[in-house]
Amino acid sequence: MIPTRPSAWTVGHGYSLADVDRLARTSVAAARGAGVDAATRYGLAWSAIAETIVGATEPPARAELVQAGWKAIHAELRAVLHARGYRDGHVYEGAGSSPRYWRYWWTPADEGAVDRVTDAIAVQQALAVLTPTQLDAVAALAAHDDYAAAAEALGWPYKRLASRVAEGRRRIAAAWYAPDSPPARRGHDKRRGTHAPRERCSAGHLLDGDNVRVRRRRGGKAERICRSCEAARSQARAAA
């Protein structure tokens, strides 16, 4: 005899649709469902329970079916939180707190071909307004990234290099903002000191050529060291 009520239809192993409905409701009550609406939680649990019954070779226990239901709800919840960028194990930090989510959605894209072409043209136009000596100063500073080293490479006094670089910047700014006046320049080039580097150490040794080495102090600041003084200190320590 075929059951006339759909709720009495057998799913498998003696479980009816009414049993699946009750088990799904129990799973929804047992699961932590924040972030997933009630209808979705019920549908997930119902499907997982029905699939477990149909796929079982032996009659599953009711506790096993309830567990299958709330596990399906929790799996969906994890997927939802992951899609919204919640950090695993740190849901309280909020959406978008996952490092990978932030990196994917907020890391700027690589510059396009238009940007590369525009930058290349802008550089050529900027360098074209410089005088030969200003161009030498800017190129040396770009190569050495240090005013003292750039001046030494050109064989110029420190102040001459600093003056030519400043003149070049003013010429480029004037051409860039023409016909308007360029805005006042703010800030300080960290590669440049407030004074020209010393020509001699405290002992009177010339800080030039092989007698000088550049040491980077904490914070990236360059310091010129006299090799003759270093050798003398080493000899004094050895004698002591």
Side-chain angles (χ1 to χ4, degrees):
M1 180 178 179
I2 299 177
T4 57
R5 292 181 303 159
S7 60
W9 292 353
T10 301
V11 178
H13 298 293
Y15 288 102
S16 66
L17 290 178
D19 293 328
V20 175
D21 174 72
R22 286 191 293 270
L23 293 168
R25 294 177 185 277
T26 303
S27 297
V28 170
R32 297 185 301 274
V36 182
D37 62 90
T40 301
R41 295 199 300 271
Y42 174 82
L44 291 167
W46 197 100
S47 298
I49 292 170
E51 290 176 2
T52 303
I53 294 173
V54 173
T57 56
E58 298 291 336
R62 290 182 176 272
E64 179 184 350
L65 296 176
V66 172
Q67 187 180 51
W70 63 253
K71 280 186 175 181
I73 296 173
H74 289 172
E76 178 66 14
L77 176 60
R78 286 194 298 271
V80 169
L81 294 177
H82 178 76
R84 295 176 182 175
Y86 284 84
R87 185 181 176 190
D88 292 341
H90 298 77
V91 178
Y92 58 88
E93 294 183 2
S97 58
S98 171
R100 291 188 178 181
Y101 181 91
W102 180 265
R103 189 179 301 115
Y104 179 83
W105 287 107
W106 299 106
T107 300
D110 295 336
E111 61 176 356
V114 175
D115 296 326
R116 292 194 294 271
V117 172
T118 302
D119 290 344
I121 295 174
V123 169
Q124 295 301 322
Q125 292 176 340
L127 296 179
V129 303
L130 300 179
T131 65
T133 53
Q134 292 169 354
L135 184 59
D136 289 342
V138 171
L141 182 59
H144 297 278
D145 200 35
D146 181 85
Y147 276 77
E152 186 176 353
L154 292 173
W156 291 359
Y158 181 91
K159 290 185 177 180
R160 181 184 179 187
L161 175 81
S163 176
R164 297 299 179 271
V165 170
E167 292 170 358
R169 284 185 173 138
R170 287 193 292 269
R171 289 177 68 93
I172 291 175
W176 185 271
Y177 289 98
D180 299 326
S181 300
R185 183 171 176 269
R186 299 178 180 179
H188 177 75
D189 192 338
K190 295 182 179 180
R191 296 171 297 182
R192 178 181 177 181
T194 56
H195 303 286
R198 298 176 301 162
E199 295 184 356
R200 295 182 179 274
C201 70
S202 57
H205 302 128
L206 185 64
L207 294 175
D208 191 16
D210 295 336
N211 190 50
V212 65
R213 72 178 181 87
V214 178
R215 180 176 64 187
R216 292 287 178 182
R217 302 177 64 183
R218 180 176 298 179
K221 185 177 181 180
E223 181 182 15
R224 305 172 79 214
I225 305 298
C226 176
R227 294 185 181 273
S228 297
C229 291
E230 280 191 323
R233 287 193 294 268
S234 297
Q235 294 175 358
R237 286 194 296 269

